[in-house]
Amino acid sequence: MAAVTASLAALRPARLGEAFYEAPVIRLARECIGKVLVVASASGVVAGRIVETEAYRGPNDLAAHTAGGRRTQRTEAMFGPAGTIYMFRLYGMHWAFNIVAGPIDTPHAILVRALEPVLGIETMVKRRGGTRLRNLASGPGKVCAAMGLDGGHYGQSLLSGNVFLSDGPPVATARTERINIDYAGAWADKPWRFVERGSPWLSRRD
DNA sequence: TGAATGATTTACT
DNA sequence: GTAAATCATTCAA
């Protein structure tokens, strides 16, 4: 762990604070594009620029796990304060990483769907079992596998601890409909997916 | 108590 | 392009 601390000191990352996460969820989803997600663990520090996000705005949004205000053991973290981490399992085999937005008891969250690798790329490749860089973190399940994020991070805060966002230069963004939420009917038409314009690191090409 | 189902990835044709 | 892997959560009964 001493090595991890040394790496973090060398990186000198500026952790984004409470104010950043207090923006409304749709705006926050856009502002997360270009920010750097940093994860420190016993196996080192890894970091990646966020290039793709989706906003989920329960309880009205039928695509959200908190649709209808559904509050269960699984969704509890989404009701926490802005900056809380919400992890959930996809298809019984992958993890997804989400940033909780909105005040306490407002179940909004942002799904991080793709990253541009920045730091600790060797570690990420090893965790992914080897793959082309383009496929390293180009999807929500791949992001978690590469960054070492799993259920152990559920409910943690980005305001303290080993997972946080760091600022980055502004980038040009674009917005599209969200992916794979056909079950949500009309809500699937909402343009609540944000990407860095022209990025080669997305889960889908433009 | 049981059946249906994903905010996906990968391999294969 | 299609299909399999794989399981906690959810809801109905």
Side-chain angles (χ1 to χ4, degrees), chain A residues 188-199:
Chain A
D189 297 333
K190 298 285 184 186
W192 289 353
R193 170 174 177 257
F194 295 87
V195 302
E196 178 181 4
R197 193 180 292 278
S199 171

Side-chain angles (χ1 to χ4, degrees), chain A residues 11-168:
Chain A
L11 182 61
R12 252 184 259 288
R15 179 194 297 266
L16 289 171
E18 200 171 9
F20 174 74
Y21 299 99
E22 286 172 349
V25 65
I26 309 296
R27 182 152 67 86
L28 183 56
R30 170 164 38 83
E31 291 177 351
C32 280
I33 302 296
K35 298 298 185 283
V36 179
L37 173 63
V38 183
V39 179
S41 73
S43 40
V45 176
V46 292
R49 285 180 61 250
I50 298 175
V51 296
E52 179 175 346
T53 62
E54 284 180 359
Y56 287 86
R57 203 186 66 179
N60 294 325
D61 178 7
L62 280 188
H65 292 157
T66 49
R70 186 195 288 129
R71 184 169 190 158
T72 64
Q73 187 171 7
R74 176 209 198 192
T75 62
E76 183 59 32
M78 275 184 76
F79 291 81
T84 298
I85 296 172
Y86 170 50
M87 303 293 303
F88 68 92
R89 241 199 226 285
L90 286 170
Y91 298 91
M93 52 199 115
H94 308 294
W95 287 102
F97 169 80
N98 300 256
I99 298 166
V100 174
I104 288 178
D105 288 338
T106 303
H108 295 176
I110 294 159
L111 171 67
V112 175
R113 291 189 53 92
L115 300 175
E116 173 182 337
V118 169
L119 184 70
I121 295 178
E122 281 187 23
T123 300
M124 296 191 214
V125 170
K126 191 180 301 179
R127 283 174 175 157
R128 293 272 292 112
T131 182
R132 291 182 180 282
L133 286 187
R134 283 295 167 79
N135 293 330
L136 198 56
S138 57
K142 301 178 201 175
V143 166
C144 292
M147 302 296 282
L149 294 164
D150 59 30
H153 300 278
Y154 184 95
Q156 289 186 19
S157 175
L158 294 167
L159 305 178
S160 60
N162 296 328
V163 184
F164 58 90
L165 295 192
S166 172
D167 210 350

